[in-house]
Amino acid sequence: MNINEVLHDVRQASRRLALLDEEQINKVLLAVADAAVKHSREILEANREDLQRMDPANPKYDRLKLTEERLEGIASDMRNVAALPSPLGRILEETVRPNGLHLKKVSVPFGVIGIIYEARPNVSFDVFSLCLKSGNACVLKGGSDADCSNRAIVKVIHEVLAQLGIDTHVVELLPASREATAELLHAEGLVDLIIPRGSSNLINYVRREATIPVIETGAGVCHTYFDASGDVVKGAAIVNNAKTRRVSVCNALDCLLVHASRLADLPALCAPLQDSKVTIYADEAAYKALDGHYPSELLCHATADSYGTEFLDYKMAVRTVADIDEAVSHIYTYGSKHSECIVAENEKAAGYFSAMVDAACVYTNAPTSFTDGAQFGLGAEIGISTQKLHARGPMGLREITTYKWLIEGNGQIRK
């Protein structure tokens, strides 16, 4: 594959997307959703080839795995995106200047968006649907772990596009090689934006190497702070859901912070975790509180590396804090600005935590597992932005548009 030629083709296709109306775009999305289910056998066969090359104990295995149920969910997400209003052409601001100039700030596509991701084949469908709905062409750069799956998925998408007379270059999959990544990161003038989805190592690499704009997504070191006023029943359910609902995703809980006055309740808070065989790395005070109440083979002493780690596995750190300020300080030191939670009945404490914690999503009495585009009503998401420029938190349709100014005059000249 001549990557430079492919990127030129995608750039040209992105310009022609402006000729498609919303009805045509929705027709494509619904057809691809149907095709994903219709061709599930081929997609799952390709996925099994990828899975055979990965150790099931690898935390990425669950992210890589596709099933009939997951494909149905992916198709449902695409139908949801089709049902959403177009993010394009929205008038964000409008004013008439004293000299009579009429100004409108209008939402428009970025143009070409490059997505670099690891063992997440669902991203291929999610990105395509969101990019097409928002008028963007997309360049997919998946990892070698999911290459067979990604190629099967893009083949299905291309078949639908061709059947409907749409330029297939609106979505292209690059080779799963380092060389392809390097070319994409330096595709100035051809790609408008890069969004990496994956580990902190991947995101750091992209941020360091790219010569085109980057929006960081993915890495999540998430905390739950159980306050002195926390409800144990709520807390146990929140901790368990945040940790075990799906351990391989970026909104999964990595560290439980417990107010020192509530250490006696720590066994109850952690009790549901036993069913999922969650290994706990506890500081000295928390270890003593859990010792004899939590399976010994799953209870370990915390080390310096236990904090600030995105486990992506059935593992969790626990640390005792003297007060809410120490909890906030810990999150400031070890968090990734993704999602943080406080369990508290005291409204003042909850308000203080929400104001002081610097993260894209801050929860009170609800688990971080809700950080998700669909849960936020955005349809499928392109990622969770952990930075502060342009977009923050779940990135849906509006977050992958930019804007331009339209100015109408009647012969005015500037003095």
Side-chain angles (χ1 to χ4, degrees):
M1 176 184 287
N2 186 315
I3 293 175
N4 191 59
E5 287 183 6
V6 170
L7 295 179
H8 272 91
D9 289 339
V10 176
R11 170 59 77 185
Q12 290 299 316
S14 74
R15 296 171 63 182
R16 288 189 286 272
L17 275 178
L19 301 176
L20 299 182
D21 60 30
E22 188 176 1
E23 184 178 348
Q24 289 173 296
I25 287 174
N26 291 341
K27 183 178 180 180
V28 172
L29 293 177
L30 293 174
V32 172
D34 291 341
V37 176
K38 179 181 178 182
H39 295 283
S40 61
R41 180 178 176 181
E42 299 97 300
I43 294 172
L44 293 177
E45 284 179 358
N47 185 241
R48 279 192 286 272
E49 289 184 48
D50 290 327
L51 289 170
Q52 287 172 1
R53 299 195 305 271
M54 183 177 286
D55 182 351
N58 189 323
K60 292 181 182 179
Y61 190 88
D62 181 61
R63 283 180 171 178
L64 175 61
K65 187 177 182 179
L66 293 175
T67 63
E68 292 278 0
E69 183 180 6
R70 288 183 179 181
L71 284 175
E72 289 281 359
I74 288 167
S76 177
D77 284 343
M78 282 192 282
R79 296 185 186 106
N80 290 339
V81 171
L84 292 170
S86 172
L88 303 175
R90 293 179 299 118
I91 299 175
L92 307 175
E93 292 182 36
E94 187 172 15
T95 186
V96 177
R97 301 296 299 152
N99 61 5
L101 287 179
H102 183 193
L103 281 69
K104 288 192 293 186
K105 184 180 180 182
V106 181
S107 60
V108 297
F110 272 98
V112 177
I113 297 179
I115 310 292
I116 301 176
Y117 54 112
E118 294 173 328
R120 310 178 186 202
N122 64 293
V123 171
S124 300
F125 278 124
D126 292 346
V127 167
F128 166 74
S129 62
L130 287 167
C131 283
L132 188 70
K133 182 76 176 187
S134 58
N136 293 292
C138 59
V139 179
L140 306 176
K141 171 57 185 71
S144 58
D145 289 338
D147 194 49
C148 294
S149 305
N150 291 333
R151 299 210 170 278
I153 289 168
V154 172
K155 181 175 181 289
V156 169
I157 295 172
H158 278 174
E159 287 175 355
V160 172
L161 292 172
Q163 290 167 7
L164 296 177
I166 308 296
D167 189 341
T168 60
H169 294 303
V170 298
V171 54
E172 288 289 357
L173 177 66
L174 298 185
S177 66
R178 291 177 178 269
E179 292 75 19
T181 301
E183 287 202 50
L184 180 58
L185 294 180
H186 298 97
E188 299 165 53
L190 297 175
V191 178
D192 298 286
L193 176 67
I194 294 288
I195 302 176
R197 289 191 60 173
S199 66
S200 57
N201 288 337
L202 171 66
I203 293 167
N204 291 336
Y205 172 78
V206 171
R207 183 179 60 231
R208 185 173 62 249
E209 297 295 326
T211 54
I212 52 181
V214 174
I215 293 180
E216 301 172 28
T217 74
V221 179
C222 302
H223 300 80
T224 292
Y225 165 57
F226 189 77
D227 183 59
S229 66
D231 180 281
V232 176
V233 175
K234 288 181 188 177
I238 287 169
V239 169
N240 187 54
N241 185 256
K243 178 67 261 182
T244 67
R245 178 191 165 272
R246 196 173 174 193
V247 296
S248 63
V249 292
C250 58
N251 58 26
L253 177 61
D254 294 299
C255 181
L256 172 63
L257 302 172
V258 183
H259 193 285
S261 68
R262 301 301 301 274
L263 278 173
D265 294 304
L266 186 57
L269 284 175
C270 295
L273 300 174
Q274 301 178 49
D275 294 337
S276 300
K277 294 182 169 54
V278 175
T279 299
I280 291 177
Y281 299 92
D283 69 2
E284 195 59 36
Y287 190 96
K288 288 180 180 178
L290 289 169
D291 193 19
H293 302 283
Y294 197 81
S296 59
E297 68 274 15
L298 298 175
L299 183 60
C300 305
H301 289 280
T303 67
D305 293 335
S306 301
Y307 305 114
T309 295
E310 184 182 23
F311 288 107
L312 303 174
D313 201 351
Y314 289 95
K315 298 176 181 179
M316 186 183 80
V318 178
R319 183 183 174 190
T320 309
V321 292
D323 52 33
I324 193 169
D325 283 312
E326 188 175 352
V328 170
S329 179
H330 178 98
I331 292 169
Y332 180 84
T333 302
Y334 295 102
S336 63
K337 296 181 171 58
H338 191 292
S339 299
E340 309 293 356
C341 164
I342 181 174
V343 178
E345 296 302 300
N346 184 304
E347 292 184 7
K348 185 177 180 181
Y352 182 83
F353 184 89
S354 297
M356 294 301 291
V357 168
D358 182 14
C361 303
V362 182
Y363 293 83
T364 298
N365 294 327
T368 56
S369 51
F370 280 109
T371 300
D372 175 83
Q375 294 295 318
F376 279 29
L378 306 178
E381 73 186 29
I382 207 160
I384 309 294
S385 172
T386 53
Q387 65 183 45
K388 299 181 182 180
L389 289 177
H390 179 67
R392 200 175 196 197
M395 293 179 63
L397 291 171
R398 292 190 178 189
E399 287 73 28
I400 50 174
T401 62
T402 182
Y403 59 82
K404 65 182 176 183
W405 289 94
L406 301 179
I407 304 96
E408 296 179 8
N410 189 28
Q412 295 94 327
I413 59 173
R414 183 174 178 179
K415 296 180 181 180

